[in-house]
Amino acid sequence: DGGITQSPKYLFRKEGQNVTLSCEQNLNHDAMYWYRQDPGQGLRLIYYSQIVNDFQKGDIAEGYSVSREKKESFPLTVTSAQKNPTAFYLCASTPQGLNSPLHFGNGTRLTVT
Amino acid sequence: QKEVEQDPGPLSVPEGAIVSLNCTYSNSAFQYFMWYRQYSRKGPELLMYTYSSGNKEDGRFTAQVDKSSKYISLFIRDSQPSDSATYLCAMSSPGGSEKLVFGKGTKLTVNP
């Protein structure tokens, strides 16, 4: 089955620790995205990558970092500089092409205490 | 004015009802319109994707786009308890998919 796998489903960390969220896709999609979802807010774009070894900041990149060393993988690191990291994080991908709809993974719920 | 406005609900209907979900937007450059369904603790899944104005039907679901009014709708006929979810509208102007703007979502409950 083709799809996007995010792991783990739930993640708990202490304040001040960096944490990395995994996102793997086997859809052969070129572009990958990270969104953050908070209650009562729309999805907000953190980072996106249209090609291997290249990525761009989204609307709320501060306190986050990414890498894109392989087409299939786009991990997100939530650093200690992120002031409010507790949220539901969603990874998505699209094939190459403008305005393609996003395919989402099932998310990682990060709780930082 | 926010780019995309969506009533968060919650909306509660009896099984079999016709459901109408709506979004308004302010950016006249938007040409691609999507509806996503999101179950609790899951990622959004694409329901409908339309370009420019008009209607699109898929089974019990109909998407309408009225660009003159900057208004989009999703209709669900013969609603089922399994339709209980949060529905997100999304839209973008021509360009990369990173330009997608989401509504905040409407939480729908269909009661048996």
Side-chain angles (χ1 to χ4, degrees):
Chain A
D1 270 331
I4 300 176
T5 301
Q6 290 188 245
S7 59
K9 190 171 174 64
Y10 298 97
L11 194 50
F12 298 87
R13 280 294 182 271
K14 296 287 188 187
E15 201 172 301
Q17 293 179 335
N18 291 356
V19 61
T20 297
L21 283 58
S22 170
C23 177
E24 303 277 333
Q25 55 100 357
N26 60 5
L27 298 166
N28 199 32
H29 285 175
D30 292 293
M32 297 186 74
Y33 309 79
W34 275 105
Y35 286 88
R36 170 181 173 139
Q37 188 174 36
D38 296 282
Q41 298 207 38
L43 274 68
R44 292 183 289 169
L45 182 64
I46 303 172
Y47 268 98
Y48 65 99
S49 167
Q50 293 176 321
I51 197 168
V52 173
N53 291 323
D54 189 40
F55 47 82
Q56 284 76 41
K57 293 181 179 180
D59 301 317
I60 56 164
E62 186 174 347
Y64 299 98
S65 66
V66 293
S67 63
R68 187 86 187 277
E69 296 176 3
K70 298 187 299 181
K71 186 176 182 178
E72 304 79 21
S73 179
F74 191 40
L76 173 75
T77 296
V78 184
T79 75
S80 56
Q82 168 49 231
K83 295 193 186 320
N84 188 16
T86 294
F88 189 51
Y89 290 88
L90 287 160
C91 180
S93 69
T94 61
Q96 191 59 276
L98 301 177
N99 297 107
S100 300
L102 298 172
H103 298 257
F104 285 92
N106 275 325
T108 291
R109 172 69 185 176
L110 173 64
T111 302
V112 176
T113 57
Chain B
Q1 183 184 8
K2 289 191 169 63
E3 271 198 299
V4 177
E5 300 267 13
Q6 183 176 12
D7 187 338
L11 183 61
S12 183
V13 301
E15 183 174 353
I18 297 174
V19 176
S20 172
L21 303 166
N22 312 294
C23 288
T24 59
Y25 62 94
S26 58
N27 187 345
S28 58
F30 286 154
Q31 291 192 35
Y32 300 87
F33 302 93
M34 283 144 261
W35 285 96
Y36 285 86
R37 177 175 63 196
Q38 186 176 22
Y39 292 115
S40 182
R41 302 186 196 89
K42 298 286 189 183
E45 56 180 319
L46 181 69
L47 273 180
M48 303 290 276
Y49 177 69
T50 55
Y51 169 71
S52 195
S53 284
N55 292 1
K56 184 173 182 178
E57 190 173 319
D58 185 1
R60 296 184 296 110
F61 299 90
T62 299
Q64 285 187 353
V65 175
D66 182 348
K67 290 189 72 181
S68 62
S69 302
K70 297 191 180 69
Y71 188 88
I72 69 170
S73 300
L74 177 71
F75 296 96
I76 307 174
R77 290 184 298 282
D78 187 25
S79 57
Q80 302 296 308
S82 58
D83 295 327
S84 298
T86 296
Y87 289 81
L88 307 168
C89 64
M91 49 198 81
S92 68
S93 53
S97 296
E98 71 276 5
K99 297 183 189 301
L100 204 57
V101 180
F102 286 87
K104 293 182 180 181
T106 300
K107 186 177 171 74
L108 170 68
T109 300
V110 181
N111 301 298

